[in-house]
Amino acid sequence: MAELCAIVGNSGTGKSTSIRTLDPKSTFIINVARKPLPFRGAKKNYTPLTKDGDKWVGNLYNTSDVNQIANVLKMINAQRPEIKTVVIEDSQYIMSFEAMDRATEKNYEKFTQIASNFYSVLKNAMSLRDDLKVFLLTHAENTGDALNPSYRIKTVGKMIDTLITVEGLFTYVFFTEVTKDDSGALKYQLVTQSDGTTTAKTPMGCFEDLRIDNDLQYICDKIDEYNS
């Protein structure tokens, strides 16, 4: 079973730039929203998936279709042993795009289907081989209020929240945090444990610090160290 990790936060808080430290030779990105990756060298190091004879080459695939995502994950699992980390970038748009495409449908059954489709992505990710780590980068939403915030993974429709406790499917859930250091420079970090206002969680003893740099390779290394 692959390790399933979530990186949760608002736009501009360092989710996508956390990919920058991963080795492109062992990383595959499924880009749901098809946006350019916001770090130096991304276009050079992440090239579209293509077939070269009987082999698949490339480490980037743009799609929000759950069936295509499933097929790519199966291909990585069976035919790309060099891939150790899979990133599903902007994963919340798997739900959002489907909801918009089906906006004219009046029945509530569509939300059950949207939930089922998103769940299938998570289930397929979990079923991958043991040496893989799958990161879902996704937006946060505040289900509390300004005085008593309660941040969690953003979904589409209350019915999805009733059907799926999304965070329960992850072993690792990190929330982004942006602060300033003593010089006034911005610091982009990830929170490893909940303080009661988020659903952040990691196994006891895996991370010594409450806040770490937004660095996915560091997370991979700590998970490997914890599991050894």
Side-chain angles (χ1 to χ4, degrees), residues 117-128:
N117 288 338
F118 187 67
Y119 173 69
S120 73
V121 172
L122 300 180
K123 195 172 180 181
N124 285 326
M126 285 187 290
S127 69
L128 301 177

Side-chain angles (χ1 to χ4, degrees), residues 8-228:
V8 190
N10 295 327
S11 294
T13 58
K15 297 188 304 298
S16 298
T17 53
S18 67
I19 302 170
R20 73 197 183 284
T21 56
L22 292 171
D23 183 356
K25 294 179 182 178
S26 59
T27 302
F28 195 102
I29 299 175
I30 299 173
N31 191 349
V32 175
R34 303 169 184 254
K35 296 190 304 186
L37 298 170
F39 51 88
R40 189 183 297 274
K43 283 189 176 182
K44 176 184 176 182
N45 292 320
Y46 290 95
T47 57
L49 180 68
T50 57
K51 198 75 177 286
D52 183 10
D54 61 348
K55 289 185 177 181
W56 288 102
V57 296
N59 54 0
L60 173 69
Y61 193 73
N62 297 317
T63 186
S64 60
D65 182 275
V66 294
N67 294 317
Q68 292 181 10
I69 292 172
N71 289 336
V72 170
L73 291 176
K74 289 176 184 176
M75 180 275 297
I76 293 169
N77 192 62
Q79 301 180 45
R80 300 290 295 273
E82 80 280 11
I83 299 298
K84 304 300 181 184
T85 308
V86 176
V87 178
I88 305 180
E89 163 73 319
D90 279 327
S91 63
Q92 76 282 348
Y93 286 117
I94 296 170
M95 293 179 281
S96 299
F97 287 164
E98 184 177 359
M100 292 301 296
D101 289 342
R102 304 177 64 178
T104 58
E105 295 181 26
K106 302 301 182 184
N107 63 77
Y108 287 99
E109 183 181 348
K110 68 180 179 182
F111 291 109
T112 302
Q113 293 168 349
I114 292 169
S116 177
N117 288 338
F118 187 67
Y119 173 69
S120 73
V121 172
L122 300 180
K123 195 172 180 181
N124 285 326
M126 285 187 290
S127 69
L128 301 177
R129 57 178 201 264
D130 292 348
D131 66 335
L132 277 167
K133 298 176 185 67
V134 182
F135 287 91
L136 273 79
L137 278 53
T138 186
H139 286 176
E141 65 176 336
N142 183 6
T143 58
D145 55 40
L147 292 176
N148 300 288
S150 181
Y151 293 97
R152 51 162 294 163
I153 292 174
K154 186 175 184 178
T155 57
V156 176
K158 292 183 179 179
M159 188 173 292
I160 292 178
D161 296 335
T162 301
L163 293 168
I164 303 176
T165 302
V166 177
E167 288 87 347
L169 301 176
F170 292 85
T171 305
Y172 300 85
V173 179
F174 303 88
F175 274 74
T176 59
E177 183 177 85
V178 183
T179 58
K180 291 184 178 181
D181 62 20
D182 294 339
S183 67
L186 293 176
K187 292 176 62 177
Y188 295 88
Q189 294 182 299
L190 299 173
V191 178
T192 63
Q193 297 289 341
S194 175
D195 62 357
T197 65
T198 73
T199 52
K201 63 175 183 177
T202 56
M204 183 181 296
C206 186
F207 292 90
E208 298 84 6
D209 299 318
L210 177 62
R211 294 171 180 82
I212 59 174
D213 289 339
N214 64 331
D215 180 339
L216 294 194
Q217 187 58 55
Y218 176 76
I219 291 174
C220 291
D221 293 343
K222 293 297 286 185
I223 292 174
D224 288 341
E225 179 185 321
Y226 183 79
N227 290 335
S228 64

